[in-house]
Amino acid sequence: MTSHPAATTPSTDDDGGRHHGEYKVPGGKLVVADFDVVDGVLANVSLSGDFFLEPDEALPEINRALTGLPMDASAADIADAVTAALPEGTVLFGFSADAVAVTVRRALAKATGWADHHWNIIAPSVLPTHVNVALDEVLTEEVGAGRRNPTLRFWDWEEPSVVIGSFQSVRNELHPEGVARHGISVVRRISGGGAMFMEAGNCITYSLYLPQTLVDGISFADSYRFLDAWVMAALEKVGISAFYVPLNDIATEHGKIGGAAQKRLANGGMLHHVTMSYDIDAEKMVEVLRIGKEKLSDKGTRSAKKRVDPLRRQTGLARAEIVAAMMDVFAERYGATPSVLTDAELEAARRRVETKFGTTEWLHRVP
């Protein structure tokens, strides 16, 4: 299985036709770029969209700044050229120089949009937590190598678990007595971020495996909200108005409901995953996790238990109903089709557990 190619192909002369790219800024406006490529550089550039820009004279200045740029210019180079050309006092509302860069690179097929790929969805299936974590690495590699379509996978598991971030200290994050008393399985994942306390049926966890071209030119911070825009729509569908709290928390007015983490691989694959609390046992959580005052210092609360507000209480819906709504919204937005884990992928993940994720060396690599 391979990703569908981007909709446009760059050319090095004026015989390749007009290039067209679009980018909807998360929480902002649509930016559109149309141009030719002549002898390897941008020509006849026209930027448009439903954004706001003052003064009017800034638009032709942006077009002039883009004209003559090499077609292999990086997103940073494009954004810098736009910024340098803006008249003093220019106000960009609903978009930015970085958004222009994303749009231009999409037109050149160096960056992609959701619609440029055939997306798959893998429904929840019960697997050991170690295997779920190993699958994140295996499937990200597969998407990066073009052997699997970009994929959304929902987790399921049975054993109570804590999944710690790649750079977290086992000693600093966990209460050994609580881990032993509650029979917690502790696993280290490949992405950064904080510890995830996960009991079967009490969390909703999903992983998104994608090519990094989808977030080309989008800042690391903005990529979180960009990749979870569909989640916000799904939560709205079940009656929850959610928003991102930078960098990686998903919250409502009642408190945090989830957190995200990412990992980008050298082969071009990217992992973005989220755990949301459905019916968390907050008492047990604080017996297992060390959640210190410093971590809570910028969260506006003194208690970790008060910081988390589960989805069950906010919606009254069964966990399966919320997962189904999320799958429906993703499929509707991006034309995603069902898929399953292959025998080869599962076997690769189990081998990865034996050689990496199930080993003491990996778990305690940051003691």
Side-chain angles (χ1 to χ4, degrees), residues 288-319:
V288 171
L289 298 181
R290 298 183 188 274
I291 305 175
K293 293 179 181 178
E294 182 63 24
K295 184 160 186 174
L296 297 172
S297 62
D298 65 343
K299 307 297 182 181
T301 181
R302 290 173 172 265
S303 168
K305 289 185 285 187
K306 291 181 180 178
R307 186 179 166 220
V308 179
D309 197 68
L311 293 170
R312 182 178 181 179
R313 180 164 61 250
Q314 292 195 40
T315 67
L317 297 175
R319 176 175 176 266

Side-chain angles (χ1 to χ4, degrees), residues 37-339:
V37 173
V38 180
D39 296 329
V41 301
L42 276 59
N44 305 315
V45 180
S46 175
L47 194 75
S48 60
D50 61 356
F51 50 77
F52 298 91
L53 178 63
E54 294 290 346
D56 285 357
E57 295 74 23
L59 185 59
E61 293 297 334
I62 293 175
N63 289 337
R64 276 191 282 272
L66 295 173
T67 298
L69 286 179
M71 61 178 290
D72 58 357
S74 69
D77 289 342
I78 296 170
D80 287 346
V82 170
T83 300
L86 294 175
E88 185 176 353
T90 297
V91 176
L92 289 72
F93 186 76
F95 78 122
S96 64
D98 289 333
V100 174
V102 174
T103 312
V104 169
R105 285 180 62 84
R106 282 192 176 181
L108 291 165
K110 297 178 183 297
T112 57
W114 294 91
D116 294 322
H117 303 281
H118 179 185
W119 292 88
N120 288 144
I121 301 176
I122 299 176
S125 60
V126 176
L127 294 166
T129 304
H130 282 88
V131 174
N132 274 313
V133 170
L135 277 169
D136 272 0
E137 184 171 74
V138 169
L139 296 182
T140 305
E141 290 174 357
E142 291 296 289
V143 170
R147 292 186 293 265
R148 167 176 274 282
N149 289 333
T151 299
L152 170 66
R153 179 178 73 92
F154 285 87
W155 294 28
D156 220 339
W157 63 99
E158 290 181 341
E159 72 274 31
S161 306
V162 167
V163 179
I164 63 173
S166 180
F167 309 108
Q168 287 189 296
S169 160
V170 174
R171 183 187 304 118
N172 292 340
E173 296 301 323
L174 300 166
H175 291 294
E177 317 80 38
V179 169
R181 181 166 63 253
H182 296 296
I184 303 296
S185 176
V186 181
V187 188
R188 185 184 294 277
R189 63 181 186 265
I190 62 172
S191 60
M196 298 152 40
F197 176 70
M198 301 164 51
E199 290 188 286
N202 282 4
C203 294
I204 295 173
T205 297
Y206 64 83
S207 297
L208 196 60
Y209 314 105
L210 60 137
Q212 292 174 37
T213 55
L214 188 65
V215 294
D216 181 275
I218 301 174
S219 72
F220 187 83
D222 288 345
S223 70
Y224 280 88
R225 186 168 62 162
F226 172 73
L227 293 174
D228 282 333
W230 65 275
V231 181
M232 303 304 166
L235 291 172
E236 190 76 34
K237 186 175 180 179
V238 297
I240 293 179
S241 179
F243 51 87
Y244 248 94
V245 178
L247 173 67
N248 61 335
D249 283 354
I250 300 174
T252 71
E253 61 181 3
H254 303 294
K256 177 181 175 179
I257 58 173
Q262 294 181 353
K263 177 67 175 181
R264 304 181 189 209
L265 302 186
N267 77 345
M270 178 174 171
L271 165 68
H272 174 91
H273 54 189
V274 169
T275 290
M276 293 189 288
S277 300
Y278 172 69
D279 192 19
I280 195 167
D281 185 334
E283 294 285 349
K284 188 182 295 185
M285 179 183 72
V286 296
E287 291 177 12
V288 171
L289 298 181
R290 298 183 188 274
I291 305 175
K293 293 179 181 178
E294 182 63 24
K295 184 160 186 174
L296 297 172
S297 62
D298 65 343
K299 307 297 182 181
T301 181
R302 290 173 172 265
S303 168
K305 289 185 285 187
K306 291 181 180 178
R307 186 179 166 220
V308 179
D309 197 68
L311 293 170
R312 182 178 181 179
R313 180 164 61 250
Q314 292 195 40
T315 67
L317 297 175
R319 176 175 176 266
E321 291 180 275
I322 298 175
V323 171
M326 293 172 71
M327 293 173 66
D328 287 346
V329 168
F330 191 87
E332 290 167 4
R333 279 198 166 206
Y334 307 128
T337 56
S339 181

